[in-house]
Each structure stands twice: as structure tokens, then as C-alpha cells.
Amino acid sequence: MTYFYEPRLGHQLPHDPFNAIVAPRPIGWVSSQSADGGLNLAPYSFFNAFNYIPPLIGFSSIGRKDSLNNIEATGEFVWNLVTRPQVEAMNQTCKAVPPEVNEFEISGLSTAPSRLVKVPRVAESPVSFECRCTEILQMKNLQGEPLQTWMVFGEVIGVHIDEKLLNNGIYDTANAQHVLRGGGPADYFSIGPEQLFKLHRPSN
């Protein structure tokens, strides 16, 4: 037996299972800056990488959030890796606050200058991607009606990596303590060496 539902009719479950199934997902912890210099830092659970060369990443803004407005205005943003040491601070940046409130301050985080964009990165984060926006797409449903959801894509033009995470020049995902978003109202996951296994592609 399987449980079947049509999303348009509702799932009839205690919590929407969609986010829990498409999970765990990397967190898009995006720092941005308004045209007048105001800083914003916000986590996005719909985030991922979409291309190698050039490297492209993207996140989905459900509703017109400050990050979306800032990126539209300046064309720049920074993605910051969330690891276990930053998870409580990241959670503080989830707060719904007015645009003039600086999430760096309310979360106790520090800014670090970027090299190629004006937007600062999170100093405490061991990895940051400096990005320039390539396109912003408003999503549509099957009827072609626009949704109040926007996909923001950016090309990664600069990468910062804590040298402690480079093992013989190879990024050490297993020991970087990545934090990932799960489903349910409060589920998160972390990655550690115990989850690592090797699987080489078959040769032609």
C-alpha cells in the first residue's frame, strides 16, 4: 500500500511531506546589501548548485524577501556555508524583521570583506561564494499563472575556503560539519565521516 494525495487538494497529514522527501538540502545562507548599503543575511531551504563551468548556484525566494529586493537592486550576493558551529546563529537569521534590521548584528556574527563584490561574507563561515546575479525568474504554475516565488541564479566569481578543510588540495566534505535542512518544522541534518563511502564511475 502507498499513501497517495494530489497536492492541489492538500496532503491531509500533520505536516507537508514534500520538504522531508526532497531532503536533506544544503542551506542557502545568503548575504546581500541594499542599494543604500543596508546588510541582510537570510537562510533559504530551497538552494542548490546547477552548473560546473561556469559555477552557477540558485535559491528560491518564496515571497518577495529582502534578499530578492537587494539582489535585484545591486546584482550581487554571497553564499555562506552553514556548519555546526554556526547553526544557532543561522537560526537567528530566520527571524522576520524589517529591512533596516541587520541580521549580522542580531545573530552576533561578524562580516568579512569580499574580494570581487561589495557584499560582505560571514566571517565565521569556512566557505563563501561571491556571486553576481545572472537571472531572476518568477515561477509559474501549470496554468501559466505567476506565483509569488522567484528563483535567483548567480555565477560564482570568487570562492573562499578555510585551508583547514583542504586535505592534500581536496575539499574535506566529510569533516567540514555541513548542516542540511530536512523536513518537518525543525529537522536538520549534519554530515560526518561515518556517512562517507566511495563509488567510482564505471569505465567505458
Side-chain angles (χ1 to χ4, degrees):
M1 296 292 292
T2 62
Y3 184 82
F4 174 80
Y5 70 93
E6 296 181 54
R8 65 185 181 87
L9 302 177
H11 50 76
Q12 311 303 320
L13 295 170
H15 195 273
D16 191 340
F18 178 76
N19 290 3
I21 295 167
V22 187
R25 302 179 303 279
I27 299 168
W29 202 17
V30 175
S31 52
S32 63
Q33 196 166 13
S34 64
D36 61 4
L39 296 182
N40 181 265
L41 180 63
Y44 289 86
S45 64
F46 288 130
F47 163 84
N48 222 306
F50 297 100
N51 197 53
Y52 276 126
I53 303 172
L56 299 175
I57 62 173
F59 69 93
S60 174
S61 176
I62 300 175
R64 181 161 279 280
K65 306 287 178 60
D66 295 335
S67 302
L68 172 64
N69 293 332
N70 291 347
I71 295 167
E72 279 185 334
T74 68
E76 298 180 340
F77 65 97
V78 177
W79 172 79
N80 305 274
L81 176 69
V82 179
T83 63
R84 285 302 296 264
Q86 297 95 44
V87 71
E88 291 297 337
M90 180 278 296
N91 198 37
Q92 291 299 312
T93 66
C94 293
K95 291 180 178 178
V97 294
E100 63 271 14
V101 174
N102 183 343
E103 286 85 357
F104 280 93
E105 294 178 354
I106 64 175
S107 61
L109 293 164
S110 306
T111 61
S114 295
R115 296 274 189 96
L116 304 175
V117 300
K118 293 182 179 178
V119 180
R121 53 198 174 89
V122 176
E124 292 81 359
S125 177
V127 179
S128 295
F129 293 164
E130 298 183 26
C131 302
R132 289 208 174 102
C133 181
T134 57
E135 58 183 322
I136 297 175
L137 301 176
Q138 186 170 11
M139 308 297 281
K140 298 178 181 179
N141 62 16
L142 281 173
Q143 292 71 42
E145 300 164 338
L147 304 174
Q148 292 301 300
T149 301
W150 288 263
M151 279 297 303
V152 179
F153 293 97
E155 181 172 333
V156 179
I157 62 170
V159 178
H160 301 260
I161 304 174
D162 188 326
E163 291 185 352
K164 290 183 291 187
L165 296 180
L166 294 175
N167 187 356
N168 294 321
I170 298 174
Y171 181 74
D172 188 2
T173 306
N175 288 293
Q177 302 185 70
H178 288 218
V179 172
L180 310 169
R181 185 67 170 101
D187 290 353
Y188 287 83
F189 294 85
S190 61
I191 293 176
E194 60 275 15
Q195 283 87 39
L196 175 64
F197 65 94
K198 303 287 187 179
L199 185 66
H200 296 283
R201 292 184 181 182
S203 57
N204 293 332

